[in-house]
Amino acid sequence: MKTIVLRPLVFITMIIWSVSGQIPTTLDGPFNPVTQKFDPSLRLGSDDLPMTHPRLKKNVTSYFPEQIALAISSANSMWVSWVTGDAQIGKNVTPLDPSAVGSEVWYGEQSGNYWKKQNGVSVIYNQLYPFDGLLNYTSGIIHHVKIDGLEPGSTYYYKCGDSSIPAMSNEHVFEMLPLPGPESYPRRIAVVGDLGLTTNTTTTIDHVVANMPSMVLMVGDLSYANQYLTTGGQGAPCFSCAFPDAPIRETYQPRWDGWGRFMEPLISRVPMMVIEGNHEIEPQAAGVTFESYLKRFAVPSKESGSNTNFYYSFDAGGVHFLMLGAYVDYNKTSAQYSWLQKDLGRLNRTVTPWLVAAWHSPWYNSYSSHYQEFECMRLEMEQLLYQYRVDIVFSGHVHAYERMNSVYNYSLDPCGPVYITVGDGGNIEKIDVDHADEPGKCPSLSDNVPEFGGVCHTNFTSGPAKGKFCWDKQPEWSAYRESSFGHGILEVVNSTYALWTWHRNQDIYKENSTGDQIYIVRQPESCVVSAQVTP
């Protein structure tokens, strides 16, 4: 095994190693598939948090900021977002004037000493349902300010709001991520998917906070506001089952406000990078979709040349992240594909050795739920990502955990990415437990039709599923799977080694909460980047 040179920031890694013994690496693989037996008690505790819950209630008055959040803009700048004013829900709603409240951030490197001020933009959005009995919604004023001139690795104190009213927030603090470089990485990156607002969500986020991340990667399906009627009430694990006569897939938009308040203690001091999932589609009048996602979150879209929140990229130290959209056009003729080619073509792997991609819907998935759902996207994009040697892919959507062996085109390949599904954040739809390879659990060809894109079921020409739709045993590319709520932590050690740890929620109060742990190892000498994509 190669010698690992550890940096001071990963002293926790050395402690983990010394306590639990040697941690496996992907160089030891491919591994024989493992399925951890499902614990049926984990289905309990997925009740939604009520809007009266202390962590969801509004605790400020008038135009004071709430739902404060950070997002990475660049190595020297950060987005600060927040909401002011009162959202409205009813048959007739009157939108607020976004210009009625200023968008200011005051910041500096010493507590109480704010040497610089930046102004930004403010917006509102509406969620409209022109149907009898359905209520409309108009948001509070959503503010986005980009603060710049920041030093990588430095700590900053800030307040946001409108100083002329005055209505400024309390002081918050954050630490900038390190400058991109081959030996410069965030301490810990938390990866969460399909979160929602349940009792399990609470456990997940409390566990994330206890793990002290320097960044949060949220891989879609955030608030689950679309599991409710516009009148609120009880959320449903299955919307179509509970509300079969609904004229449109309704949402209860105040859940978004509750979600912003719930997350604020974490994401007001740690940047959260998001990508859309299917629960963010939220169709409304005139075919409008994704309004809450597009208006509530600031992402480095213009900074990365995409000009849309649906897909973008950013650097976090020596890691380049690709945030791809599964619910917008991803075909080879699309704007997204063209942008992706350009973004990959600009990469300098001597500066950002690690290449990590994230999107909501997994390509590799052995669970019955969402099985083969996004084959069309895989067929369009997989070869491009493989030839540029993407190292890790994170997805959600399937409400369970699964880590793959390095794979390309359903074949074991040491140069293929390690695909990881973490759609087990704690949402109301509960955990997925059935595997497509189990007797009687293979979905039909008409199941799992995606909300966007076509169906591209393929008959496999090699491997255990040759000539079949489902495997008859756990596929060889599936290394480890377990039906549990949880989250992951990625700790990049150096330019070739990264420690991945998946934490089960049920073990949060135990000494060792590790459900799955492995060093993911890059092999740049043998897996050379090839910019030329063959047809």
Side-chain angles (χ1 to χ4, degrees), residues 281-344:
I281 297 174
E282 299 185 331
Q284 56 173 300
V288 175
T289 54
F290 290 107
E291 274 296 278
S292 57
Y293 170 77
L294 293 173
K295 294 298 194 300
R296 287 181 180 271
F297 299 102
V299 301
S301 53
K302 291 184 179 179
E303 295 93 321
S304 61
S306 83
N307 295 315
T308 173
N309 287 26
F310 290 126
Y311 51 86
Y312 61 93
S313 66
F314 65 96
D315 293 331
V319 186
H320 187 72
F321 283 89
L322 299 168
M323 307 293 279
L324 302 183
Y327 298 93
V328 292
D329 194 355
Y330 46 69
N331 292 323
K332 289 183 174 67
T333 57
S334 69
Q336 179 175 199
Y337 193 92
S338 176
W339 166 84
L340 179 59
Q341 285 180 308
K342 293 175 183 176
D343 191 83
L344 290 169

Side-chain angles (χ1 to χ4, degrees), residues 30-351:
F31 300 94
N32 293 327
V34 172
T35 299
Q36 210 52 315
K37 187 178 179 180
F38 171 65
D39 180 353
S41 69
L42 300 183
R43 269 201 179 276
L44 304 176
S46 280
D47 297 328
D48 263 1
L49 300 179
M51 289 299 295
T52 55
H53 191 280
R55 293 171 72 162
L56 276 60
K57 290 175 64 176
K58 185 172 182 177
N59 294 315
V60 300
T61 58
S62 184
Y63 286 112
F64 281 86
E66 62 156 359
Q67 305 179 47
I68 301 169
L70 301 174
I72 296 168
S73 170
S74 72
N76 302 102
S77 58
M78 186 77 76
W79 283 104
V80 182
S81 302
W82 68 95
V83 178
T84 58
D86 293 320
Q88 302 168 51
I89 188 164
K91 187 60 182 176
N92 298 304
V93 294
T94 303
L96 297 174
D97 178 5
S99 65
V101 186
S103 305
E104 305 172 16
V105 176
W106 295 73
Y107 57 103
E109 293 179 87
Q110 294 181 342
S111 177
N113 184 11
Y114 314 116
W115 60 272
K116 194 169 183 180
K117 182 187 86 167
Q118 289 281 10
N119 296 314
V121 299
S122 56
V123 297
I124 60 101
Y125 75 92
N126 301 313
Q127 191 79 15
L128 304 176
Y129 300 106
F131 300 98
D132 289 339
L134 272 62
L135 302 182
N136 296 315
Y137 171 90
T138 185
S139 71
I141 301 170
I142 302 166
H143 305 260
H144 300 298
V145 177
K146 182 163 70 172
I147 59 176
D148 53 18
L150 308 177
E151 286 293 323
S154 295
T155 298
Y156 289 89
Y157 300 84
Y158 73 97
K159 288 187 174 184
C160 59
D162 185 343
S163 61
S164 68
I165 295 179
M168 298 292 289
S169 71
N170 293 328
E171 181 180 84
H172 296 271
V173 61
F174 67 89
E175 182 181 327
M176 286 292 290
L177 272 63
L179 192 70
E183 296 298 331
S184 179
Y185 300 101
R187 288 189 302 274
R188 285 183 158 197
I189 299 168
V191 186
V192 185
D194 301 68
L195 190 58
L197 278 174
T198 71
T199 51
N200 276 311
T201 305
T202 302
T203 306
T204 297
I205 294 303
D206 288 349
H207 204 171
V208 169
V209 170
N211 277 328
M212 298 182 294
S214 49
M215 186 188 106
V216 178
L217 190 70
M218 194 71 67
V219 294
D221 283 4
L222 309 177
S223 75
Y224 282 79
N226 71 340
Q227 294 298 107
Y228 299 78
L229 299 177
T230 60
T231 50
Q234 185 67 36
C238 171
F239 186 92
S240 59
C241 304
F243 312 119
D245 300 323
I248 191 172
R249 178 71 182 250
E250 302 174 36
T251 71
Y252 186 61
Q253 287 293 307
R255 296 294 289 187
W256 275 110
D257 296 306
W259 196 85
R261 295 170 195 136
F262 179 89
M263 296 295 293
E264 179 182 323
L266 173 63
I267 62 177
S268 62
R269 57 184 177 85
V270 173
M272 177 181 69
M273 310 307 292
V274 301
I275 197 66
E276 75 277 4
N278 57 300
H279 283 270
E280 278 73 66
I281 297 174
E282 299 185 331
Q284 56 173 300
V288 175
T289 54
F290 290 107
E291 274 296 278
S292 57
Y293 170 77
L294 293 173
K295 294 298 194 300
R296 287 181 180 271
F297 299 102
V299 301
S301 53
K302 291 184 179 179
E303 295 93 321
S304 61
S306 83
N307 295 315
T308 173
N309 287 26
F310 290 126
Y311 51 86
Y312 61 93
S313 66
F314 65 96
D315 293 331
V319 186
H320 187 72
F321 283 89
L322 299 168
M323 307 293 279
L324 302 183
Y327 298 93
V328 292
D329 194 355
Y330 46 69
N331 292 323
K332 289 183 174 67
T333 57
S334 69
Q336 179 175 199
Y337 193 92
S338 176
W339 166 84
L340 179 59
Q341 285 180 308
K342 293 175 183 176
D343 191 83
L344 290 169
R346 290 192 294 262
L347 274 182
N348 183 346
R349 299 297 281 272
T350 64
V351 177

